[in-house]
Amino acid sequence: MSTLVCVILTSLIATTLSIGATRETVEFLIGSGGRGLKNGCSSENHGKYRVTQCSKLRNTKAPPPAPPVKKTELLVFSDQRLASVYPIIQNFKSLITSDPLGITKTWVGSDICSYRGFFCDSPPDNKSATAVASVDFNGFQLAAPTLDGFLDKLPDVALFHANSNSFSGTISPNIARLPYLYELDISNNLFSGSFPAAVLGMNGLTFLDIRFNLFTGAVPPQIFTQNLDVLFINNNNFMTTLPDNLGNTHIRYLTLANNKFTGPIPRDIFKVFSSLSEVLLLNNQITGCLPYEVGLLKEATVFDAGNNRLTGPLPFALSCLEKVEQLNFAGNQLFGMVPEVACELVKLTNFSLSDNYFTTLGPTCRFLIEKGVLDITNNCIPDLPFQKSVEECSDFIAHPSSCPQMWSYTFIPCMSSSSSGSTNPGMAPSS
């Protein structure tokens, strides 16, 4: 009988091993005399040890599959010139500290020509190529500590406009190496340092707008004789005299306002400005007297020289500004009589002479006060309200300023020689 039991047990062990049972199962079957085989792991009559072993069998799971290997995306560019600027753009992207409009989210992938702010075209040296020809960030509100390593590394760029952002730093001298750049607008940012002298060697540059920044120091005189059509340098902190060669410029649009320019206005400047519709010299530290050449501003609709240190009388030549709508000489040290002929300008809608030292006002000009056209407050006209104190006016009159060629202040260059005397700028009118 014992021999039969041994045979049966031996057969069970062999069968269990053949179906892949674990060593613990084998040991359990031997220890239980085979009683637990019929009920299996679902039996409620097994002991604590069997529960442990069955739990192990039931909870055994296959290991999770390995994550797929991430393939590196291969960027394919339509032109090698685009491939060469891709890392330059991505490096600049990493420098941007503020992007409220999410502009740089589009700067992804190899299709650079679809990036917001970037425009492609064929470069002049290869009409079959494609390159970044223009960058227009106007109004993007981006912020970055510098443009160095970006602007100066775009070899085919012709136009770079970045108005109204928060870019700062200085302008790299390497921009002089950009052969096709002809428009540069970095206005309304936070650039500082001296005037970007690199532009002086850029003969192809025709448009330069650096207004509303923090540039300081002198403005190189040669910039005014460079081949520029547009030069906007207003609203900086330039501190220099207006250069004598300003009269030799052929710049068509020039703004100098809101700086710290000093010295007198060069007489020849008005010949240059004769084609301008707006002449803006306000908020500087310009001294001296207004020459009669101001009458050469035949196209001007706005002439603003307010808040300077101009002195002397107003020239009668203002009557030649037939298209002028706004005249502003407020906040200076002008004195004497307000010319009636200036108040007769038919298109004049705003004439500001406040905060000066005028003492005499004729009936035509008084009528402009009634119309709300003329502001003559804070002067020295005895019978008008809101004037300076007698003491202040007396002190100023006691220390009069003199102007050269005083005869010229009644000279009207736009009138014929028969009615106004000689029109030769170097001669006084005949008596």
Side-chain angles (χ1 to χ4, degrees):
M1 183 68 180
S2 61
T3 302
L4 180 60
V5 170
C6 288
V7 171
I8 293 172
L9 288 174
T10 301
S11 177
L12 287 171
I13 291 171
T15 302
T16 302
L17 290 174
S18 67
I19 62 175
T22 63
R23 183 171 179 271
E24 291 86 1
T25 304
V26 174
E27 291 173 348
F28 175 74
L29 290 172
I30 294 174
S32 62
R35 292 188 300 272
L37 181 62
K38 179 176 67 176
N39 296 325
C41 286
S42 63
S43 174
E44 297 180 358
N45 298 321
H46 51 66
K48 181 178 180 182
Y49 179 73
R50 187 171 182 220
V51 172
T52 302
Q53 298 306 319
C54 288
S55 176
K56 288 182 179 180
L57 289 174
R58 186 181 298 116
N59 295 331
T60 300
K61 297 180 179 179
V69 178
K70 187 176 181 180
K71 295 181 179 180
T72 303
E73 182 183 359
L74 181 63
L75 296 178
V76 179
F77 297 89
S78 60
D79 195 285
Q80 179 57 37
R81 299 195 187 209
L82 297 176
S84 65
V85 299
Y86 173 80
I88 295 168
I89 296 172
Q90 296 305 315
N91 180 67
F92 178 63
K93 178 180 177 179
S94 70
L95 297 178
I96 292 177
T97 58
S98 179
D99 180 13
L101 303 181
I103 302 299
T104 59
K105 291 180 180 179
T106 69
W107 298 0
V108 178
S110 60
D111 189 6
I112 294 176
C113 301
S114 69
Y115 290 6
R116 283 195 64 186
F118 292 85
F119 301 88
C120 298
D121 204 344
S122 299
D125 64 338
N126 187 348
K127 294 301 182 181
S128 64
T130 302
V132 173
S134 173
V135 175
D136 187 353
F137 292 165
N138 284 355
F140 280 3
Q141 303 176 41
L142 299 172
T146 183
L147 291 181
D148 290 2
F150 174 59
L151 168 59
D152 54 307
K153 297 294 185 181
L154 300 176
D156 300 298
V157 70
L159 293 86
F160 188 88
H161 291 182
N163 181 300
S164 302
N165 288 279
S166 293
F167 298 135
S168 56
T170 57
I171 301 301
S172 171
N174 293 328
I175 66 170
R177 301 175 184 174
L178 301 176
Y180 309 126
L181 186 64
Y182 69 90
E183 285 194 13
L184 178 59
D185 179 359
I186 54 171
S187 60
N188 199 20
N189 280 281
L190 300 171
F191 292 108
S192 58
S194 59
F195 184 92
V199 301
L200 297 176
M202 302 176 67
N203 295 327
L205 193 68
T206 60
F207 182 103
L208 178 61
D209 188 350
I210 61 173
R211 56 186 163 168
F212 293 98
N213 278 289
L214 303 172
F215 291 112
T216 60
V219 177
Q222 54 267 45
I223 191 63
F224 297 107
T225 55
Q226 193 163 318
N227 188 32
L228 287 171
D229 293 327
V230 175
L231 177 61
F232 295 151
I233 60 176
N234 54 286
N235 293 81
N236 281 282
N237 290 308
F238 290 123
M239 296 173 286
T240 185
T241 57
L242 293 174
D244 292 335
N245 70 339
L246 195 56
N248 299 324
T249 187
H250 59 272
I251 296 173
R252 297 173 59 191
Y253 301 96
L254 174 65
T255 59
L256 305 172
N258 299 306
N259 281 285
K260 296 179 181 178
F261 288 115
T262 60
I265 301 175
R267 304 181 74 91
D268 288 343
I269 193 175
F270 297 103
K271 296 179 182 178
V272 175
F273 288 173
S274 61
S275 63
L276 299 185
S277 61
E278 294 187 4
V279 179
L280 306 177
L281 302 172
L282 67 154
N283 296 330
N284 282 286
Q285 299 174 11
I286 300 172
T287 57
C289 304
L290 276 171
Y292 76 85
E293 284 89 349
V294 68
L296 300 177
L297 302 177
K298 298 178 181 179
E299 301 299 320
T301 59
V302 178
F303 181 40
D304 194 336
N307 295 317
N308 281 283
R309 299 176 182 175
L310 296 170
T311 190
L314 279 180
F316 283 35
L318 288 173
S319 62
C320 294
L321 309 186
E322 296 180 353
K323 296 183 179 181
V324 77
E325 299 171 8
Q326 298 181 45
L327 285 174
N328 180 22
F329 299 104
N332 282 283
Q333 299 172 18
L334 301 169
F335 59 85
M337 176 184 66
V338 179
E340 284 280 275
V341 288
C343 294
E344 293 171 356
L345 291 165
V346 295
K347 294 187 177 181
L348 193 60
T349 60
N350 191 322
F351 192 9
S352 183
L353 298 176
S354 61
D355 294 294
N356 281 284
Y357 293 88
F358 290 108
T359 54
T360 306
L361 196 67
T364 305
C365 293
R366 289 174 184 266
F367 180 63
L368 293 186
I369 296 177
E370 296 178 9
K371 292 177 61 178
V373 173
L374 175 60
D375 181 3
I376 194 93
T377 57
N378 206 29
N379 275 272
C380 298
I381 301 174
D383 61 330
L384 291 182
F386 309 111
Q387 300 295 297
K388 287 183 169 69
S389 67
V390 174
E391 292 77 14
E392 184 178 356
C393 292
S394 299
D395 183 65
F396 179 84
I397 295 172
H399 303 87
S401 301
S402 61
C403 296
Q405 298 180 328
M406 285 298 296
W407 63 266
S408 67
Y409 286 88
T410 58
F411 176 54
I412 304 177
C414 58
M415 294 180 65
S416 64
S417 58
S418 60
S419 60
S420 62
S422 172
T423 58
N424 188 332
M427 298 176 59
S430 57
S431 56

